[in-house]
Amino acid sequence: MAKRNVIEKQSWKPGNILSPVPAVLVSCGGTRGWKPNLITIAWAGNVCSEPPLLSISVRPERYSYDIIETTREFVVNVPSLGQAKAVDWCGVVSGRSEDKFAKAGLTPAAALKVQCPIVLECPLNIECRVRESLKLGSHTMFVAEVVAVQVSSALMDARGMLHLERCGLLAFAHGRYFALGRCVGRFGFSVQKRKNRSQSSIRAKTTGRALRRRS
Ligand SMILES: Cc1cc2nc3c(=O)[nH]c(=O)nc-3n(C[C@H](O)[C@H](O)[C@H](O)COP(=O)(O)O)c2cc1C
C-alpha cells in the first residue's frame, strides 16, 4: 500500500511543466530560396541513440515551420550563457520580419552535411535531417537524424574530453532562464566504489597528479 504523503502537495491541471529543458537556437533555411533563419526551441530532446535521433516540436504558425517542412533539415545550436539574450530575442520575433542572424550579431557559417547554416558562435552545433514529422496538436514534432556534430575546440581538454560547462550552460524552467551550476557527479557515481586511500596515493605519486580534496 502507498505511504501517506508527508510532504504537502498541490494538484495542478495537466500541462507542459517538465523542467528544466534546454533552450536552443535552431537554424534553418539558407537553401531552396529560403533566407537563413533562427528559432528558439525549448521542446527539444534526444530520442534515440542508435541511430542518433533528436526531436524538436514546432508550431505550424512559426515562419521556421514552413522552412523545416520543405527543406527537411535544421541545425540545433546549443548556446552559451552569454547568448541568453539572443536566445530569448530569437524566440519573440519572427524571421518573417527580421534578419535574426544579423540583428542578433550571430554568424551563419557552413555546416558539414546540411545546406542550412550553423551558428558559428554557439559551442555545439548538431546538424539534423528530418526523418518524420508527427502532427501532435498545437505542435508538430520533427524527428531528425543527427548527421554531423561540430564542437568548439576551446572546450576540449588534452585527453579529448568535451567540457561544455566551460562556456556556461543555459537551461529553461517554467518560463525562466537559468545558468547551470557546479557538477555534482558523473554518470554512475551513485554506484561507484570509493578508491581506497593507499591505492589513490600510490597513483597520485606515480602520475605526479595532486589529489583533489573531496568535499
Ligand atoms: C525560451 C523559448 C522557447 C521556445 N520554444 C518553442 C518551441 O519549442 N516550439 C515552438 O514552436 N516555439 C517556441 N518558442 C517560440 C518561437 O521561438 C517564436 O515564436 C519565434 O519568434 C518563431 O520564430 P520564426 O517565426 O522566425 O520561426 C519559444 C520561445 C522562447 C523564448
Side-chain angles (χ1 to χ4, degrees), residues 125-183:
N125 317 100
I126 308 166
E127 302 178 24
C128 303
R129 261 195 211 114
V130 174
R131 275 205 173 186
E132 282 182 54
S133 38
L134 306 170
K135 293 188 194 313
L136 301 173
S138 62
H139 289 65
T140 293
M141 178 197 266
F142 293 106
V143 178
E145 180 163 358
V146 176
V147 293
V149 172
Q150 299 194 46
V151 295
S152 296
S153 305
L155 300 177
M156 304 296 295
D157 70 17
R159 288 187 299 174
M161 293 282 289
L162 174 63
H163 292 274
L164 261 184
E165 73 285 358
R166 285 183 188 164
C167 68
L169 292 171
L170 187 67
F172 190 63
H174 202 44
R176 292 190 295 162
Y177 303 93
F178 291 87
L180 289 186
R182 69 192 170 90
C183 173

Side-chain angles (χ1 to χ4, degrees), residues 21-24 26 28 37-44 56-68 87-98 100 138-140 172 175-177:
V21 288
V24 293
V26 169
C28 54
N37 193 39
L38 292 165
I39 175 172
T40 301
I41 293 287
W43 286 189
I56 59 167
S57 289
V58 185
R59 283 185 184 263
E61 51 268 39
R62 311 291 188 229
Y63 179 60
S64 304
Y65 177 88
D66 291 332
I67 302 178
I68 295 169
V87 169
D88 187 64
W89 186 77
C90 289
V92 293
V93 299
S94 178
R96 281 190 193 93
S97 52
E98 300 277 5
K100 293 199 222 179
S138 62
H139 289 65
T140 293
F172 190 63
R176 292 190 295 162
Y177 303 93

Side-chain angles (χ1 to χ4, degrees), residues 81-128:
L81 214 47
Q83 291 154 352
K85 200 167 177 186
V87 169
D88 187 64
W89 186 77
C90 289
V92 293
V93 299
S94 178
R96 281 190 193 93
S97 52
E98 300 277 5
D99 177 346
K100 293 199 222 179
F101 269 103
K103 285 256 171 90
L106 296 170
T107 314
L112 297 173
K113 291 276 176 69
V114 296
Q115 300 300 306
C116 64
I118 65 163
V119 179
L120 187 61
E121 291 80 2
C122 287
L124 176 58
N125 317 100
I126 308 166
E127 302 178 24
C128 303

